[in-house]
Amino acid sequence: MKKTFLKTLLCTSATATALLWSAHAVAEEEVTVGYQQIVGPYVSAIAMKKFDEPLKAAGYTVKWRQFSSAGDISSALASGGIPIGVLGSTGIAAAATRGVNMQLFWILDNIGHSEALVVRKGSGISKPEDLKGKRIGVPFVSTSHFHLLVALSKVWKMNPRDVRILNMQPPQIVAAWQRGDIDAAYVWPPALTTLLKDGTVLTDSEEVGKASVPTFDGIVVDKDWAEKNPKFMQAYTKVMADAYRDYNQNGAKWNESSPEVKGITQMIGGNGKDILEAMKMLVFPTAQEMASTTWLGGGAGSGAVKALTESAAFLKEQKQIDSVLPDYSGFVNASWAEQTAKQK
């Protein structure tokens, strides 16, 4: 009797210890993910904790970290500070060229009208030629920076050096704008929405993209880390696909009081009205669309690879990077979108 009781007690104790160690191991598998001040289903899903349970079931917990610029995220990826982060297409091209071992695996949005060159009312700027000698704020090595340079040199045939281009992050742009320190800015919401209250759009990335390549925001991951953590990647992209499907089906019903919109404002600031207006300027592709040749699929012939190649060529032309790689297809991975696209 005593032996049976002792045996049972030891087995129970061993099981409890194993469970404690298992729980401890799960809790210790913390992943830091970097994001920027952008709007969309992704940020809403973060705010509403949609990632928490699926990733916990896969053995991970996530620490979300907001970065103010593509350069900061690129540096964090290169140093191993984070394995996953949000970058615009130009930032991805720059980081890839500089040797950051990463892959683009998700398209957050097609930027289009949501990035624009806005001029201050009263600045005396009514046409491109009026920009000469003026001060323009823009986050360097961002999609906005890329399209600003394209607009100046390729669309308007101007020398970018004739304009005073200042490296500023979105919050700095808003502050400088309100002080009157800059005459114009090329930026995205929520900063763009604030500037439009007393500014006028001179051009935007929908228009400039027609003269070059479209720009987009995407999520990149350290290549080696992704290969070692497939369960994380599967759970992560499944949440993304669900969030995008829900928005494309129900986003038209969102209003300022919707929890999804409130969540975005809590994550990046701004107000519900501005967030909704900003989201209408963007296109959020489905997992099926991402897996197609329009975006990630098709190897060297994919839309993403073409955009990265042209972005890199222009960055080199503007002396933002030293060289252009012969092939950017190794920095684009369609497999996770393809797997997710097959799921119901």
Side-chain angles (χ1 to χ4, degrees):
M1 182 75 175
K2 288 182 179 179
K3 289 183 178 179
T4 302
F5 174 75
L6 180 59
K7 183 177 181 182
T8 302
L9 181 63
L10 289 171
C11 288
T12 302
S13 177
T15 301
T17 301
L19 289 171
L20 283 171
W21 274 110
S22 177
H24 181 65
V26 170
E28 284 189 341
E29 196 67 36
E30 184 178 82
V31 181
T32 301
V33 177
Y35 70 97
Q36 296 189 61
Q37 282 188 319
I38 60 172
V39 300
Y42 178 51
V43 177
S44 174
I46 296 172
M48 297 182 70
K49 303 186 183 302
K50 293 292 183 70
F51 289 91
D52 292 6
E53 287 303 318
L55 290 178
K56 183 178 180 181
Y60 303 85
T61 57
V62 174
K63 179 180 178 182
W64 303 101
R65 180 181 172 190
Q66 182 174 304
F67 287 79
S68 61
S69 73
D72 290 342
I73 285 188
S74 295
S75 296
L77 283 162
S79 67
I82 60 172
I84 296 180
V86 170
L87 285 174
S89 48
T90 305
I92 296 171
T97 305
R98 290 170 180 145
V100 180
N101 184 36
M102 64 181 191
Q103 288 186 323
L104 168 70
F105 69 94
W106 196 268
I107 303 295
L108 283 172
D109 54 64
N110 181 359
I111 289 173
H113 297 294
S114 72
E115 290 189 6
L117 175 59
V118 183
V119 298
R120 286 168 47 86
K121 290 179 180 177
S123 64
I125 304 171
S126 60
K127 56 185 182 300
E129 293 79 10
D130 297 332
L131 290 169
K132 290 184 178 181
K134 300 295 186 180
R135 298 159 297 181
I136 304 177
V138 64
F140 275 21
V141 199
S142 66
T143 49
S144 288
H145 187 205
F146 169 54
H147 268 178
L148 171 61
L149 295 175
V150 170
L152 289 168
S153 63
K154 289 194 173 182
V155 180
W156 299 326
K157 310 301 181 184
M158 295 173 57
N159 187 339
R161 294 186 178 182
D162 290 339
V163 180
R164 296 178 61 189
I165 301 176
L166 308 175
N167 184 12
M168 296 181 172
Q169 300 313 312
Q172 296 173 313
I173 285 175
V174 172
W177 180 278
Q178 293 172 340
R179 291 193 304 266
D181 292 345
I182 55 177
D183 306 292
Y186 207 131
V187 72
W188 54 85
L192 173 61
T193 313
T194 300
L195 271 53
L196 286 173
K197 293 175 181 177
D198 60 345
T200 304
V201 173
L202 195 62
T203 191
D204 64 26
S205 287
E206 178 73 18
E207 183 177 334
V208 179
K210 293 175 182 177
S212 55
V213 291
T215 50
F216 59 85
D217 293 310
I219 308 181
V220 298
V221 62
D222 179 275
K223 183 180 179 181
D224 295 338
W225 190 91
E227 291 175 353
K228 294 175 183 177
N229 294 272
K231 289 184 178 179
F232 178 96
M233 297 299 294
Q234 290 166 2
Y236 189 86
T237 50
K238 175 63 165 58
V239 173
M240 293 289 296
D242 290 344
Y244 273 55
R245 185 184 305 108
D246 179 67
Y247 176 76
N248 285 321
Q249 292 176 353
N250 305 304
K253 303 174 186 176
W254 288 11
N255 57 50
E256 294 177 47
S257 300
S258 298
E260 296 90 349
V261 177
K262 288 183 176 180
I264 295 174
T265 62
Q266 291 169 1
M267 293 290 291
I268 68 169
N271 60 68
K273 181 181 178 182
D274 291 345
I275 294 296
L276 287 168
E277 290 181 1
M279 291 183 70
K280 290 177 182 177
M281 301 177 185
L282 294 162
V283 176
F284 302 102
T286 64
Q288 290 76 12
E289 289 169 339
M290 278 182 244
S292 74
T293 57
T294 300
W295 290 111
L296 303 175
S302 72
V305 172
K306 291 177 182 177
L308 296 182
T309 302
E310 291 203 30
S311 296
F314 196 80
L315 287 171
K316 181 179 182 297
E317 183 181 315
Q318 298 300 322
K319 298 184 174 17
Q320 298 298 317
I321 56 177
D322 296 328
S323 62
V324 175
L325 301 179
D327 183 11
Y328 284 86
S329 58
F331 295 93
V332 176
N333 186 342
S335 66
W336 301 109
E338 290 170 350
Q339 288 183 33
T340 306
K342 296 175 183 177
Q343 300 172 357
K344 298 292 184 180

